[in-house]
């Protein structure tokens, strides 16, 4: 029987004194658990992507709600049809420089 797991994570907010920067605070990232600008962990994104590929739409939405990982059918479809993103959240580099 599986139980519910809760993770309490504390990250540091870092401050930059450089006047030339638009952003002055930055949040620390934890490899494998958080991604920059991410709303889901890499593991949850992988699970939802698998559900989206197998079922997509409303069937995927119903399964995710039973897991319990409630997500909309449009989000599942976006995972299938959207651009591929790196699990680490890195932006692709420019080639030929």
């Amino acid at each position: 029987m599986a139980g519910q797991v809760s993770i309490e994570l504390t990250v540091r907010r870092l401050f930059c004194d450089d006047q030339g920067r638009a952003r002055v605070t930055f949040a620390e990232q934890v490899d494998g658990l958080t991604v920059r600008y991410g709303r889901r962990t890499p593991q949850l994104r992988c699970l939802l992507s698998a559900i989206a590929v197998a079922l997509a739409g409303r069937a995927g939405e119903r399964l995710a709600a039973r897991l319990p990982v409630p997500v909309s059918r449009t989000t599942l479809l976006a995972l299938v049809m959207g651009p591929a993103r790196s699990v680490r959240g890195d932006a692709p580099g420019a080639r030929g420089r």
Side-chain angles (χ1 to χ4, degrees):
M1 180 67 80
Q4 186 174 5
V5 175
S6 178
I7 298 173
E8 186 173 324
L9 177 66
T10 303
V11 295
R12 296 179 292 179
R13 299 277 305 159
L14 307 171
F15 179 78
C16 181
D17 292 344
D18 186 5
Q19 299 296 329
R21 289 200 176 260
R23 289 190 60 169
V24 292
T25 61
F26 303 88
E28 179 180 37
Q29 299 299 314
V30 179
D31 288 339
L33 189 58
T34 61
V35 291
R36 197 169 175 199
Y37 302 112
R39 294 183 176 267
R40 297 178 182 91
T41 64
Q43 294 85 358
L44 179 57
R45 182 173 173 80
C46 183
L47 173 68
L48 292 176
S49 294
I51 291 171
V53 167
L55 300 173
R58 291 184 183 187
E61 180 181 18
R62 287 193 300 268
L63 175 61
R66 299 273 305 195
L67 285 179
V69 186
V71 65
S72 72
R73 66 181 185 265
T74 55
T75 299
L76 291 173
L77 292 172
L79 284 171
V80 173
M81 298 171 59
R85 287 194 236 170
S86 170
V87 174
R88 293 189 331 233
D90 295 336
R95 299 184 105 197
R97 286 190 186 191

